[in-house]
Amino acid sequence: MKAETRRLTRKSDHTRQRILDAAASTLANRGYAGTSIKAIADSIDMQDASLYYHFESKDALVLEVLRTGVVLSEEAVNAAVSALGEQPDPIDALRAAIVAHAEAVLGMGDYPRANVRNFGQLPQEIVSAQMSHQRRYGKVWRNLIEAAMASGRLRQDMNTRAMRMLILGALNWAPEWYKPRGELSPGDVGRQMAAMIIEGLLATGAAQPVRRQKQGNGR
Amino acid sequence: MKAETRRLTRKSDHTRQRILDAAASTLANRGYAGTSIKAIADSIDMQDASLYYHFESKDALVLEVLRTGVVLSEEAVNAAVSALGEQPDPIDALRAAIVAHAEAVLGMGDYPRANVRNFGQLPQEIVSAQMSHQRRYGKVWRNLIEAAMASGRLRQDMNTRAMRMLILGALNWAPEWYKPRGELSPGDVGRQMAAMIIEGLLATGAAQPVRRQKQGNGR
DNA sequence: GTCTATACGTCGATAGAC
DNA sequence: GTCTATCGACGTATAGAC
């Protein structure tokens, strides 16, 4: 694309982004059913009809928000694992991934939250369109668990699908109860979840205490 | 209520129950947004207007379905814990509760599933009206975890709220991925979840293998 | 690009015949 | 008890002026 063209579309791009942000916020807080085009438009002082200049339909807009949410989560998890080096310990990698996903859905804003909070309640056509991205992210987790399993460090008597879903279910539920101004930061929740999932709830010698970290949003 | 009166309302009661069952099924499978009065009425070959003879409003109907779902789950959990005797081991009690809740949301039909699948996406007024029942069930879990915590058998470095939510999040997510005709029965999933949650994912001497049980819906 | 106006479907809910 | 008919509000989306 030429610089000329890019300059011409700048205002359009900016408005488009404002609409996406507003849609992400409304989706994260009120759900798909409560997210009308009018509600989105109202929140940025725009007429609902004007929105159709930027997006073909409500579903196209929603889809882009959800897709962004998955991509952000995936990037966060991949970055956290990559930060461990070339051949990370597979349990460390799993732990880092759990913390990163928790931080994404609790602390990275509206997009990842919009994605996980609406996952189970979307119309079939949106689910289908979103599937490929969701699958790719699912594969990241499948690989993490397979690597940990292959290392012999995970118990071999469990269904790996159940393992994966235990992790994602517990983490994706967190936005329903987490209070941003409470005593735990998103990272704190992530580390507690990781510790409980990996080492279990029982008090044993194996369990290492989890240190709470000071963060800006602590009280 | 006199026998006379009861007899007169029998047909009404029967129809009322059919409506509730249809609503539970639609709610469990299509979510609150996809559950219109017409959709419910259609599924039992009735006109949507006729439904208002039995229920004051859509919300009243939905509320009764959700309330039934919580009550069924609560009764299942209480029964499972009570079956352990007067002074059960608190870890055994927690394990039994996890299995019972899993069996409820995966194998007890539409009502518990309708409840957990819609929890995060309901209009504010329904949430408020449902709160008292949800709280009572939450207290059952708080008591279970407090008892286990007080016994010193659970690690003391974790937030108990995070513990409770880890458990319920993992279990309430199960209906999203569980395949009724797959190799695992609801009880199998419950026992695997309980084992992973309580003893963790790591292979250690502490972890006991979980036996899979034969059930009618196995393949 | 954004506006006003409007088409058109579906929603929950009511009125009144039978 | 269940039906047909209908109301008003709100949903997505389009047409056309500016």
Side-chain angles (χ1 to χ4, degrees):
Chain A
M1 190 184 284
K2 288 190 295 183
E4 217 84 351
T5 312
R6 219 181 300 135
R7 195 172 303 127
L8 284 171
T9 58
R10 254 184 212 162
K11 183 189 174 185
S12 173
D13 284 353
H14 178 246
T15 304
R16 192 185 149 85
Q17 193 56 52
R18 282 177 61 224
I19 295 170
L20 282 165
D21 289 349
S25 169
T26 312
L27 279 168
N29 295 318
R30 297 202 246 161
Y32 180 81
T35 299
S36 63
I37 293 290
K38 187 173 182 310
I40 297 168
D42 280 352
S43 74
I44 52 173
D45 292 310
M46 188 179 247
Q47 295 302 312
D48 47 354
S50 307
L51 212 142
Y52 286 92
Y53 175 81
H54 302 275
F55 293 91
E56 193 187 330
S57 67
K58 174 187 175 179
D59 283 4
L61 168 56
V62 169
L63 209 54
E64 189 160 334
V65 170
L66 299 180
R67 190 180 53 72
T68 304
V70 192
V71 169
L72 287 174
S73 302
E74 187 180 356
E75 287 174 353
V77 166
N78 283 337
V81 173
S82 296
L84 298 178
E86 289 257 327
Q87 299 272 339
D89 175 279
I91 302 299
D92 287 347
L94 192 55
R95 192 184 305 270
I98 291 172
V99 176
H101 184 89
E103 287 179 324
V105 297
L106 297 181
M108 279 186 64
D110 296 323
Y111 290 85
R113 216 168 86 247
N115 181 49
V116 302
R117 286 209 55 187
N118 288 286
F119 191 92
Q121 58 170 298
L122 298 168
Q124 193 52 50
E125 36 171 314
I126 292 205
V127 173
S128 311
Q130 174 76 339
M131 191 91 89
S132 65
H133 300 95
Q134 213 76 44
R135 267 192 209 286
R136 203 178 69 173
Y137 188 45
K139 189 155 178 52
V140 170
W141 282 96
R142 255 192 303 278
N143 290 342
L144 282 164
I145 288 173
E146 266 172 32
M149 204 58 131
S151 78
R153 304 269 299 283
L154 293 188
R155 50 196 301 174
Q156 307 288 311
D157 59 337
M158 293 291 135
N159 186 298
T160 56
R161 184 169 154 83
M163 268 193 189
R164 193 171 78 251
M165 292 307 175
L166 162 71
I167 295 171
L168 291 174
L171 296 182
N172 289 346
W173 183 246
E176 304 292 337
W177 57 269
Y178 177 69
K179 296 187 179 98
R181 302 228 150 271
E183 58 179 336
L184 297 175
S185 70
D188 289 335
V189 173
R191 280 181 292 276
Q192 290 220 351
M193 286 287 177
M196 290 190 282
I197 291 167
I198 291 174
E199 290 138 14
L201 298 187
L202 290 180
T204 66
Q208 312 263 337
V210 171
R211 209 172 322 214
R212 199 183 310 157
Q213 291 187 358
K214 284 171 199 149
Q215 297 227 357
N217 60 349
R219 63 175 179 190
Chain B
M1 190 185 282
K2 289 189 295 182
E4 216 83 349
T5 312
R6 218 181 301 133
R7 195 172 304 126
L8 284 171
T9 58
R10 254 184 212 161
K11 183 188 174 187
S12 173
D13 284 353
H14 178 246
T15 305
R16 192 185 148 85
Q17 193 56 53
R18 282 177 61 224
I19 295 171
L20 282 166
D21 290 348
S25 169
T26 311
L27 279 168
N29 295 318
R30 296 201 249 162
Y32 180 81
T35 299
S36 63
I37 293 291
K38 186 172 183 310
I40 297 168
D42 279 353
S43 73
I44 51 174
D45 291 310
M46 188 180 248
Q47 295 302 312
D48 48 353
S50 308
L51 212 140
Y52 286 92
Y53 174 81
H54 302 275
F55 293 91
E56 193 187 329
S57 67
K58 175 187 176 180
D59 283 3
L61 168 57
V62 169
L63 210 52
E64 190 160 333
V65 170
L66 299 181
R67 191 180 53 73
T68 305
V70 191
V71 169
L72 287 174
S73 302
E74 186 181 355
E75 287 175 352
V77 167
N78 284 336
V81 173
S82 296
L84 299 179
E86 289 257 326
Q87 298 272 340
D89 175 279
I91 302 299
D92 287 348
L94 192 56
R95 191 184 307 269
I98 291 171
V99 176
H101 184 90
E103 287 179 323
V105 298
L106 296 181
M108 280 187 63
D110 296 323
Y111 290 86
R113 215 168 87 247
N115 181 49
V116 302
R117 285 208 57 186
N118 288 284
F119 191 92
Q121 59 170 299
L122 298 168
Q124 193 53 50
E125 34 171 315
I126 292 205
V127 172
S128 310
Q130 173 77 340
M131 190 90 86
S132 65
H133 301 95
Q134 212 76 44
R135 266 192 207 284
R136 203 178 70 172
Y137 188 46
K139 189 155 179 52
V140 170
W141 283 96
R142 254 192 303 278
N143 290 341
L144 283 164
I145 288 173
E146 267 173 31
M149 204 56 131
S151 78
R153 305 268 299 283
L154 293 188
R155 51 198 299 174
Q156 307 288 311
D157 59 337
M158 293 292 135
N159 186 300
T160 56
R161 184 169 154 83
M163 269 192 189
R164 193 171 77 252
M165 293 306 176
L166 162 70
I167 294 171
L168 292 174
L171 296 181
N172 289 346
W173 184 245
E176 304 291 338
W177 57 269
Y178 176 69
K179 295 188 179 100
R181 303 228 149 269
E183 59 179 334
L184 297 174
S185 70
D188 289 335
V189 173
R191 280 180 292 277
Q192 290 220 350
M193 286 289 177
M196 289 190 282
I197 291 167
I198 291 174
E199 290 139 15
L201 298 186
L202 290 180
T204 67
Q208 314 262 337
V210 171
R211 208 171 325 214
R212 201 185 307 161
Q213 291 187 358
K214 283 169 198 148
Q215 298 226 357
N217 59 348
R219 64 177 180 192

